Structure formats: C-alpha cells, structure tokens
Amino acid sequence: MFRGSTDYIDSYYAATSRDRQRRRPSLPGPIDADVCVVGAGFFGLYCALEMARAGRKVVVLEASRVGWGASGRNGGQLVSGFACGMQRLKAVMGHERAKDMFHESLRSVRKIRDLIRDNAIDCDLAEGHVEVAVLPRRVKLLTDGIEEASREWGYDGFRFIPKAELPRYVDSPRFQAGLLDDSAAHIHPLKYILGLAEVVERAGATIYESTRVAGYEQGADGITVRTEDGAAVRCHQLVLAANAYVDKVDRRLQSRVLPVGSFIGVTEVLGEAACRRLMPHNHAVYDNQFILEYFRTTRDHRLLFGGGCTYMGGTPADLPTVMKGHITRVFPHLQPVKVDYAWGGHIDITLRRMPDWGRRGDRIFWAQGFCGHGIVPTRVAATVVTEAMKGQPERLDAFNGIVNPPFAGGEWLGGVQQAIGMSWYRLRDVV
C-alpha cells in the first residue's frame, strides 16, 4: 500500500527542524550484522540503541527518512500509560505484571528525559500534562483513574482539578474537570528523534535511509533481509519496527494492524501572552472522549492541535479548515486566527486496541499496535523486547496472552468496519 517519500511531509515539525535534518545513504550492498532493525521510528531506534550498547553490530533499515512516520509527526505528548488502559492489561497478564508495566512506563518517561538531558537534545521539552473531561458524566473517569493509580499501581502522582480551578490550566468553556500529571511533558518529536538517531549512531549502530525492505527469509544459520534494490542484510536477530508501514514485509503482522489517518493543525504565531492565556502553565492537554482531541503550545507560541481520524485512507480536501473547526470548538475566540500548517499521517491500531508485542523463537521480534499513544510505550516495548533478545524473555512473553485477531476482509473491509464502529463512538461523544 505505502510508498514512502524521500523527504518529510510539509509539517510544522519539518519546517522548524531543517537545521537538524541530514540525509543518510541507502544500503549499498550485502552486509552482515548481529541485529537488523526494520524501521527508524522510536521503537526501532530504541532497540538499536540498546543492542548497540550491548556490543552487537546493529544495522537499521529505513524506507524513507529517520522519523518519517508517526514518530516524527505526532502530538509530542510524553505521557505514561498505554492506549488500552491498565485494567485491560491486568485482565490478560495479571495484577503484578500489569503493575510492573505501569511503573515501566513511568521509568520510560524518566529514561527519555535522561536521554534528552545527557545528550543535550534540544527538542523544546516543556513540563506537565492535563487530561480533561468534556462530558459531565466522564468526570468520574478522571477521579476513578486517580483512585486506580493509587490503589492498584501504588502511584500517587495524579491530582484532580475541579471545574472552578481548571482555567488556571486550560482556558476553555468546553471542559468540566481535569487530571494533572506533573511528571509528564511535551516535546518537538521530530527534533527529538533526529537527536535520538545521532545517539544511536554514536553508540555504534548504522542507519540506512531510502532502503525499502521487500521481505526476509529465516534459515538454519540466520536471517536474510532483502531490500527492493536487491541488497541484503544477513543477521542473527531481526526487529520488525515498521508499525503502520509493515505492509508486505511481514503479512502475518500486517493483518493484525490497520493504518488509520490522524491529523494535526498548527496556528499562526499567537504570541506568548495569548498562549499563556490558553494554557497558563504551558501543559499539554488531551480530552477523554472516545474520539479524543489533544493540544499544546509550541516554543514559538503557536497552538498545535490534533483531532479527527479516518479509517478509509486519504486526507480531507481542505485540512486547514477542518482543523480550524476543531480548534474553535475548544477555543471560540481563536476564530480569526489562521492555520499555518496542517498535515496527516498513519498510526497503527489493533482491532481491540491492545499492544501486539512478541517474538518467534529467539530470532524475530516485533512491537506494534501503539494505537496513537506511542512516545512512551515505544520505549517500554524496546526495553522488554531487547531484554528478550539478550536472553531474558519473561516480560515480553507476558504479552503472549493478548490476542490481536486479523482484520476480517483485509485492510479495506477492516477500514469499513472500523469506520462504522467509530461512528457509534462519535455518537456517544455527544449524547
């Protein structure tokens, strides 16, 4: 389905990171490695970093550019937890394993912060996050989340924000209450992943761009990864990190994820005073609707706003106008403001919105199904996957109980089914 571009899409992130971008060569010919990673997004680069630090010869193959996919064009919200919610993980892997994964997500936030600090990655890091309720009946989801974190996972870092106090965090009449997470943050994801790639290379891994993988074969003595240009990597272990773009590389994995379009708009420069009116503490925000919206301000004092999705491919004809509608529903006084940037791209979802992480023996490993919540979970996934690659598979194998069935009828019919299902959820968001 996918043909990756040799350049980044025309996003705010690409426009404000030109000085960090550099082209890497494609794979010139056959090469041997201990580990081959397919995909230079967050998960793939974290795996490459861990294995290079363990002394392995690592090669990363990227069809387009480092961070070209969702990793380099997402909302930039550095928030713990998993898209499916912790109770669903608990139902599959038990309380103690789920608690361990919750705390691993908290540790992953700290690992990302440490990597930014220790390597002086300038990625517009800003502190704090607020989850907000649009509907009065969903305020209870916030209070239940705070209680669950304390009772089940032993974490007391969340705080409830009542409606009367909410304008101190987000100045919009749309919201009823909030949940404050001071440990969370937000970043410029493309600047961050470009910096991460340099850290990976300094650790000894090699990244090849514009190198599309056509498939792979496993033999008795290893794995051969073939590219569309006829080159190959012979390796002992393979990490499949293409997520929404796994496509023909592995049909079994591809059948379990559906590429879903997700969209972001960024306003013209509003000025610091206007941005602090919107979000006085400069926290990132998302709501707890089924079809959620998320937003934050940028270093140069714009509003970055994400919302909307499509299950049938394609981008709305007039995306800036569509995103302007989302923005003014939350901040009506921004009606006169121009949208300077608007873009879309694919994220990968599973049918049940559960993680799809695993291995085939001790040679082939993958993680996918981040379902739009990937900055922190990709770091968690890389930790448990590379533990397994180094001979400690227990935490990765705890995900074996998760069943992610294939989308019936393939990608097109799966998209139709999801579109119908999400229409029901859209209705529940308003009634």
Side-chain angles (χ1 to χ4, degrees):
M1 171 183 176
F2 299 105
R3 301 301 304 177
S5 169
T6 58
D7 210 343
Y8 297 105
I9 63 171
D10 186 19
S11 70
Y12 167 80
Y13 295 136
T16 54
S17 62
R18 300 291 185 204
D19 60 326
R20 323 287 178 88
Q21 299 169 23
R22 64 179 180 86
R23 292 190 180 274
R24 294 169 173 84
S26 58
L27 181 66
I31 191 173
D32 293 332
D34 297 319
V35 176
C36 179
V37 178
V38 179
F42 288 137
F43 171 62
L45 291 183
Y46 288 138
C47 286
L49 179 61
E50 292 298 322
M51 298 310 290
R53 285 175 170 174
R56 312 292 174 85
K57 181 180 179 181
V58 180
V59 169
V60 181
L61 305 181
E62 167 56 46
S64 298
R65 306 284 302 278
V66 164
W68 181 89
S71 294
R73 57 187 185 216
N74 60 76
Q77 301 201 9
L78 190 62
V79 182
S80 60
F82 296 81
C84 62
M86 294 307 305
Q87 288 300 323
R88 297 187 69 191
L89 284 184
K90 175 184 171 182
V92 172
M93 61 179 58
H95 177 266
E96 288 307 310
R97 286 290 190 189
K99 183 177 181 179
D100 176 50
M101 285 298 101
F102 179 83
H103 283 276
E104 187 60 50
S105 78
L106 294 174
R107 286 191 290 272
S108 292
V109 173
R110 294 194 293 271
K111 288 177 182 178
I112 294 169
R113 287 177 175 275
D114 290 347
L115 189 143
I116 291 169
R117 182 199 63 225
D118 295 345
N119 296 278
I121 299 176
D122 181 6
C123 58
D124 305 356
L125 177 69
E127 303 297 334
H129 181 269
V130 178
E131 179 182 352
V132 291
V134 174
L135 302 176
R137 70 174 183 271
R138 289 189 183 157
V139 172
K140 190 174 186 298
L141 295 177
L142 303 178
T143 56
D144 287 352
I146 295 169
E147 181 183 344
E148 176 190 311
S150 179
R151 181 188 68 250
E152 296 258 21
W153 323 125
Y155 181 68
D156 294 314
F158 300 143
R159 185 173 75 80
F160 181 70
I161 307 171
K163 185 177 179 66
E165 190 181 337
L166 198 55
R168 293 167 49 188
Y169 296 89
V170 53
D171 185 22
S172 170
R174 181 168 169 80
F175 306 121
Q176 308 302 314
L179 183 158
L180 174 65
D181 180 5
D182 281 324
S183 71
H186 55 97
I187 59 174
H188 186 304
L190 187 52
K191 286 182 181 179
Y192 171 65
I193 199 168
L194 292 172
L196 172 61
E198 293 181 354
V199 175
V200 169
E201 289 170 322
R202 289 197 295 270
T206 304
I207 302 171
Y208 293 103
E209 295 182 327
S210 301
T211 303
R212 180 173 294 277
V213 171
Y216 65 90
E217 295 88 32
Q218 184 174 6
D221 57 348
I223 299 167
T224 300
V225 180
R226 296 177 288 102
T227 75
E228 288 190 347
D229 294 332
V233 177
R234 295 180 295 269
C235 59
H236 300 296
Q237 292 179 312
L238 172 64
V239 178
L240 297 169
N243 299 291
Y245 299 92
V246 67
D247 205 21
K248 299 176 183 178
V249 176
D250 190 305
R251 288 296 195 185
R252 282 181 287 178
L253 296 187
Q254 186 271 339
S255 71
R256 299 204 295 266
V257 293
L258 182 71
V260 171
S262 180
F263 307 103
I264 293 177
V266 179
T267 69
E268 63 185 316
V269 174
L270 304 178
E272 183 174 7
C275 285
R276 293 296 72 77
R277 175 187 169 188
L278 299 178
M279 280 157 279
H281 295 281
N282 194 26
H283 294 337
V285 181
Y286 64 61
D287 66 36
N288 64 1
Q289 299 285 83
F290 286 106
I291 313 297
L292 64 81
E293 294 177 332
Y294 50 92
F295 49 92
R296 61 187 183 85
T297 59
T298 65
R299 176 182 284 182
D300 58 350
H301 308 306
R302 304 169 185 264
L303 176 67
L304 183 148
F305 197 103
C309 60
T310 176
Y311 292 85
M312 299 302 296
T315 298
D318 188 358
L319 187 56
T321 298
V322 171
M323 298 313 300
K324 179 73 170 289
H326 289 293
I327 290 169
T328 55
R329 184 171 59 248
V330 175
F331 299 110
H333 70 279
L334 294 184
Q335 182 62 50
V337 170
K338 179 185 175 185
V339 173
D340 277 353
Y341 300 90
W343 67 91
H346 289 97
I347 59 174
D348 62 328
I349 66 166
T350 54
L351 188 62
R352 296 171 179 168
R353 305 303 193 269
M354 296 287 279
D356 187 33
W357 305 357
R359 65 188 178 107
R360 299 183 193 126
D362 60 358
R363 290 191 182 274
I364 299 172
F365 302 81
W366 71 88
Q368 59 181 16
F370 294 104
C371 302
H373 185 63
I375 292 185
V376 173
T378 51
R379 175 66 264 192
V380 178
T383 297
V384 300
V385 164
T386 54
E387 285 174 355
M389 295 175 73
K390 291 181 281 189
Q392 296 179 303
E394 294 78 16
R395 294 210 293 176
L396 179 60
D397 289 350
F399 288 83
N400 287 346
I402 297 174
V403 177
N404 284 302
F407 283 88
E411 191 173 286
W412 184 85
L413 186 55
V416 172
Q417 294 168 337
Q418 289 294 299
I420 293 170
M422 294 311 285
S423 295
W424 163 247
Y425 285 118
R426 285 189 176 93
L427 181 63
R428 293 190 64 183
D429 277 340
V430 297
V431 299

